[in-house]
Amino acid sequence: MLAGRQEAERLATLTLSFRVEENWRTDFCCSIDAAHRIVITQRFADAGLAVFVFDYRGFGSSEGDPRQSISIDRQLRDYESAIAAAKRLPGVDPNAIVLWGVSLSGGHVIRVAADRDDVRAVIALTPLTDAVATARGILGQYRLSAAGRATVDGVVSRVAVARGRTPVLMPVVARPGEPGGLTLAGAYENYHAIAGPTWRNEVDAAVGQEVMKIRTKSYAKRLRARLLVQIADFDNYVPPDAVARTAEYGRGWVHHYPCDHFDVWPGHDWF
């Protein structure tokens, strides 16, 4: 545990890019790479929360190689690093931390908060909580040949990264029929609408293998913090029933919204 704590402090100092507003009374920690992040964080700031925003290593303004390569384990450690850094800020109550995450990070915050006494609450917005259920929906976007090609690219990329080379990249989002991670109708337009200046429409082709690591059931059961789960009832990316089960495991409050995955973002009716 001591080694883990030392690593968290090292990463917070050397690897991650943090944006912090001080002089508020409590701390709110989140990660979001989007142009509208300032709109979202300002809402929390207006409510009197100190907002601590960061980019995962290898993405956005943060350091770290390989670039654009998602590792669930690394991202979880980055979140822990952000908490450690935020708790050291003057005026922040180290035992009154609130974690907020959306989509992929929505599942992360549940895992990070498990077994912790310093996290007061967790807010998971349209979270990815069940890899198998999500994969069924995502794979339905692809032709069989395209799915096979993506799998091969992912394996090649995983080997390249393991050998210290650059990953094989593919588009995060693309229009229907084009190669990419998310190709449902509207994904390309919606993602670009919220993309920030540091965002690149590229991701390691091994992302599918990483997503399959996501399991939140046992972590949700071990939450000591209060949990709020916000579900988009017509979500085409994250199965609402799987998210609802996670909320039940975590004894959480649930808010339902009659919309799709991206409709809860700024610029849409349900923000």
Side-chain angles (χ1 to χ4, degrees), residues 166-189:
T166 302
V168 176
L169 299 177
M170 68 176 184
V172 178
V173 288
R175 294 183 174 89
E178 298 177 351
L182 301 174
T183 61
L184 288 178
Y188 182 90
E189 293 77 12

Side-chain angles (χ1 to χ4, degrees), residues 44-186:
F44 295 122
D46 290 343
L49 300 171
V51 184
F52 192 103
V53 184
F54 69 97
D55 294 324
Y56 293 120
R57 75 180 89 179
F59 288 90
S61 299
S62 283
E63 300 174 1
D65 290 305
R67 304 301 295 177
Q68 306 302 117
S69 183
I70 290 179
S71 164
I72 300 300
D73 293 337
R74 288 198 302 265
Q75 290 191 350
L76 292 173
R77 291 198 298 269
D78 290 349
Y79 224 115
E80 291 167 352
S81 302
I83 295 173
K87 290 172 67 172
R88 294 196 298 269
L89 293 173
V92 169
D93 184 344
N95 294 308
I97 305 298
V98 179
L99 304 184
W100 180 89
V102 59
S103 196
L104 181 62
S105 292
H108 289 356
V109 293
I110 293 172
R111 295 181 64 176
V112 171
D115 300 319
R116 297 185 68 131
D117 292 317
D118 55 348
V119 175
R120 189 74 58 83
V122 175
I123 303 173
L125 174 62
T126 59
L128 200 168
T129 62
D130 186 318
V132 175
T134 300
R136 292 195 193 103
I138 297 297
L139 288 175
Q141 303 176 34
Y142 297 98
R143 299 186 182 94
L144 185 60
S145 59
R149 177 63 185 176
T151 300
V152 171
D153 286 346
V155 172
V156 172
S157 185
R158 179 61 60 90
V159 172
V161 170
R163 294 178 176 176
R165 298 202 295 264
T166 302
V168 176
L169 299 177
M170 68 176 184
V172 178
V173 288
R175 294 183 174 89
E178 298 177 351
L182 301 174
T183 61
L184 288 178

